[in-house]
Amino acid sequence: MPTKTYQFPENFLWGGATAANQIEGGFHEGNKGLNIADVLPGGKGRLNILKEPGFNFEVNTEKYTYPNHEAIDFYHRYKEDIALFAEMGFKVFRMSIAWTRIFPNGDETVPNEEGLAFYDRVLDELHKHNIEPVVTISHYEMPVNLVKNYGGWRSREVVTFFERYAKTILERYQNKVKYWMTFNEINSGLIMPIMGLGFSIQKEEDKYTPTFQAFHHQFVASSLAVKACHEIIPDAQIGCMILYAPVYPYDANPENVMHALEEERLFNYYCADVQVRGEYPAFMTRYFKEHNIELDIKEGDLELMKEHTVDYIGFSYYMSRTEKMQKAGEEQADGNIMSGVRNPFLKASDWGWEIDPTGLRIALNQLYDRYRVPLFVVENGLGAKDVVEEDGSIHDDYRIEYLRDHIVAMGEAIEDGVDLMGYTAWGCIDLVSASTGEMSKRYGFIYVDKEDGGSGTLERSKKKSFFWYQNVINTNGKEL
Ligand code: BG6
């Protein structure tokens, strides 16, 4: 239990976070097209597919299972789920819109009305319960047609398709959504181009130019979405979304300190600098040169990026990362797609993700010192195995402890002077894991009866953490 109480801002945005492909299911209902998550198999092997070259984006049901096809069936059960979020007192709910529900192939000129109508119903249901939606425009959900026939974000044409999609939803939901984000964890494309950039590299050594060209297209697309949002919904705020993990040097050896700094700049700051400051950071000039990267930057791109920067930084925080120049012989730490060496001061989750609440305070201070724009923790949580007792109860004290410690860290950061808008706990309802496709890696306050193999009734039940978080929100973080 914390020894002091924390003062969160009066309108602090407490809530939970999800992504369409990890909750909705109904993967071919309502004229939805196939997206990247639909072709990713379930199981721990998924992580290798995501990181290794040569994935073909085909469904092979003889060999694999596809957990995102049904997910947790939010597509049909959203009313029940939103009522549970409301019972916890959510002020906001972070969700994403599936691009393929609106433009099934991505390159159509006319949107799919059935898809638009579905999100109208979801957004109306949220408002009925006084929950403000926070919408990610693209959360690892690119149409497979754009991947196969255009090469994903490598193609400049995709910028036009994305702009059309973004404008369509900004216009349609202009009275219903006031918080937006462009690309989920945009920097994750550095490690997992499949989800983030919409293509699989063919060979490791050929990755540099396609990767950074794809990023450039996303930056242009993001600026176009920011511009459109400000024009269409002047009272809305639109943010970027980055995966942020502070990088610690393994020790005081200056070589390791410099190495950690380089890792931190590329992974944590390269994308955020462009989206928040509106320009490529100075350190990328050397990086581009050393890796023979020549970007095709069209006339007007840099001005557009400079003019249309984001209003806030949304970020996910699960862990810190510890880096050492020479890793040979060191024990590696698992992690949210990137891994460093084991930090001897930290414990790890069942999935090897190191648990570091102070790292969140550090992250908040680093980001605020650097950018001076409001911050929003839009993902944080503990993926763990839960046990259902005979009476149906679930005593997830480990999750409560994890969340409490991270909320304390936010309270401290607010005292440090950080402008923090809100907190949406990841996977507020159990959902399909992005990196492994597992159901057993549970994050939720709400349990969903579904196993890794796909069996289960899909019934929802409240974990102990449900009541704990309800009280946290009710007391605006005073009782943790
Ligand atoms: C973030 C993603 O990387 O981490 C989410 O934005 C994801 O989509 C979350 O689910 C947790 O990762 P995982 O692999 O445990 O689902």
Side-chain angles (χ1 to χ4, degrees):
M1 283 290 166
T3 48
K4 65 188 233 197
T5 52
Y6 293 91
Q7 194 71 41
F8 286 85
E10 211 177 304
N11 298 319
F12 195 72
L13 302 173
W14 296 102
T18 59
N21 73 83
Q22 291 171 265
I23 58 169
E24 284 179 7
F27 87 109
H28 54 28
E29 290 184 60
N31 295 326
K32 180 183 156 295
L34 210 62
N35 66 32
I36 288 174
D38 295 326
V39 298
L40 291 175
K44 290 206 199 304
R46 180 189 283 201
L47 200 51
N48 296 335
I49 289 178
L50 291 174
K51 288 185 174 178
E52 283 167 12
F55 180 57
N56 63 7
F57 297 90
E58 297 287 344
V59 172
N60 179 349
T61 43
E62 279 173 22
K63 203 165 164 199
Y64 299 118
T65 56
Y66 292 90
N68 300 68
H69 289 188
E70 180 189 56
I72 59 159
D73 195 31
F74 180 83
Y75 189 70
H76 297 108
R77 296 167 194 248
Y78 64 91
K79 285 192 182 174
E80 182 191 346
D81 294 341
I82 291 170
L84 288 166
F85 301 151
E87 197 180 327
M88 269 188 281
F90 278 19
K91 312 282 182 209
V92 290
F93 173 58
R94 177 178 174 226
M95 53 183 266
S96 67
I97 290 181
W99 190 343
T100 48
R101 285 204 189 281
I102 312 302
F103 290 99
N105 290 313
D107 55 1
E108 299 91 340
T109 49
V110 179
N112 169 35
E113 180 54 35
E114 264 197 76
L116 287 166
F118 167 67
Y119 292 109
D120 266 323
R121 293 195 293 278
V122 171
L123 295 170
D124 289 345
E125 194 67 20
L126 287 166
H127 284 295
K128 192 173 112 190
H129 290 282
N130 293 319
I131 300 175
E132 279 291 329
V134 177
V135 171
T136 320
I137 297 176
S138 182
H139 190 130
Y140 300 152
E141 276 147 325
M142 180 179 243
V144 166
N145 174 50
L146 298 187
V147 174
K148 287 193 173 168
N149 295 319
Y150 294 85
W153 281 101
R154 265 191 280 207
S155 155
R156 179 84 193 193
E157 276 180 282
V158 169
V159 176
T160 311
F161 302 143
F162 179 83
E163 187 187 12
R164 186 177 302 144
Y165 160 58
K167 279 187 172 164
T168 302
I169 59 175
L170 287 162
E171 266 161 22
R172 176 79 170 219
Y173 308 124
Q174 58 181 292
N175 297 319
K176 299 182 183 179
V177 183
K178 302 296 173 187
Y179 298 101
W180 295 86
M181 278 178 284
T182 54
F183 295 103
N184 181 64
E185 294 189 332
I186 183 166
N187 51 333
S188 68
L190 288 163
I191 295 171
M192 289 187 320
I194 291 179
M195 277 176 163
L197 302 175
F199 64 84
S200 177
I201 53 164
Q202 293 312 309
K203 281 189 267 151
E204 184 63 20
E205 66 270 24
D206 294 340
K207 71 179 180 188
Y208 289 100
T209 295
T211 299
F212 288 90
Q213 188 63 50
F215 270 114
H216 180 71
H217 292 151
Q218 283 197 323
F219 296 146
V220 173
S222 173
S223 297
L224 287 166
V226 170
K227 179 172 184 280
C229 182
H230 288 154
E231 284 167 4
I232 298 167
I233 328 176
D235 60 337
Q237 296 184 55
I238 181 159
C240 59
M241 194 316 200
I242 53 171
L243 190 173
Y244 196 90
V247 184
Y248 304 150
Y250 181 75
D251 56 23
N253 178 347
E255 292 279 311
N256 289 334
V257 177
M258 190 63 220
H259 176 63
L261 176 64
E262 281 179 337
E263 289 288 315
E264 177 142 82
R265 289 200 304 200
L266 179 65
F267 199 77
N268 287 346
Y269 296 131
Y270 148 61
C271 294
D273 278 5
V274 177
Q275 293 183 289
V276 183
R277 292 173 164 170
E279 55 192 33
Y280 279 102
F283 59 79
M284 287 310 283
T285 307
R286 176 172 181 173
Y287 186 88
F288 289 154
K289 205 167 148 207
E290 287 184 351
H291 294 90
N292 299 319
I293 298 163
E294 285 194 29
L295 295 183
D296 180 7
I297 297 179
K298 300 267 183 259
E299 204 187 321
D301 284 0
L302 298 180
E303 291 73 15
L304 182 88
M305 282 151 58
K306 185 73 195 169
E307 219 174 309
H308 302 287
T309 53
V310 294
D311 303 313
Y312 67 91
I313 299 174
F315 71 103
S316 62
Y317 176 81
Y318 292 92
M319 73 199 67
S320 54
R321 156 184 171 201
T322 304
E323 276 296 336
K324 193 174 186 187
M325 194 68 185
Q326 302 295 339
K327 288 194 198 135
E330 289 294 337
E331 196 189 337
Q332 297 280 302
D334 291 329
N336 190 7
I337 72 170
M338 74 276 142
S339 53
V341 297
R342 280 281 295 129
N343 182 330
F345 299 97
L346 301 176
K347 292 200 184 109
S349 76
D350 293 345
W351 272 261
W353 294 21
E354 288 178 338
I355 300 173
D356 180 12
T358 305
L360 177 55
R361 182 175 173 191
I362 293 169
L364 285 161
N365 276 281
Q366 286 175 330
L367 282 167
Y368 196 61
D369 285 351
R370 189 176 181 102
Y371 299 114
R372 301 291 288 187
V373 297
L375 306 178
F376 196 163
V377 179
V378 294
E379 281 189 36
N380 170 244
L382 178 72
K385 291 199 171 96
D386 289 328
V387 177
V388 184
E389 305 294 340
E390 271 189 18
D391 65 356
S393 59
I394 296 153
H395 305 288
D396 55 341
D397 296 275
Y398 36 89
R399 183 168 293 109
I400 294 173
E401 188 186 331
Y402 178 101
L403 295 170
R404 176 191 289 133
D405 291 348
H406 286 77
I407 294 173
V408 165
M410 293 194 302
E412 291 290 341
I414 290 170
E415 285 185 27
D416 294 334
V418 170
D419 181 358
L420 183 59
M421 297 162 63
Y423 176 78
T424 54
W426 175 253
C428 46
I429 179 165
D430 290 348
L431 41 66
V432 178
S433 154
S435 61
T436 66
E438 290 167 298
M439 272 306 298
S440 53
K441 191 179 187 188
R442 298 176 182 275
Y443 287 87
F445 303 112
I446 300 163
Y447 185 87
V448 177
D449 180 24
K450 180 168 175 176
E451 303 306 324
D452 287 342
S455 60
T457 61
L458 288 168
E459 259 172 44
R460 279 56 170 155
S461 56
K462 301 168 193 170
K463 303 182 194 176
K464 186 174 173 185
S465 57
F466 180 101
F467 303 99
W468 171 81
Y469 195 48
Q470 182 182 53
N471 190 52
V472 171
I473 298 177
N474 190 30
T475 61
N476 197 26
K478 285 212 169 58
E479 288 177 23
L480 294 172

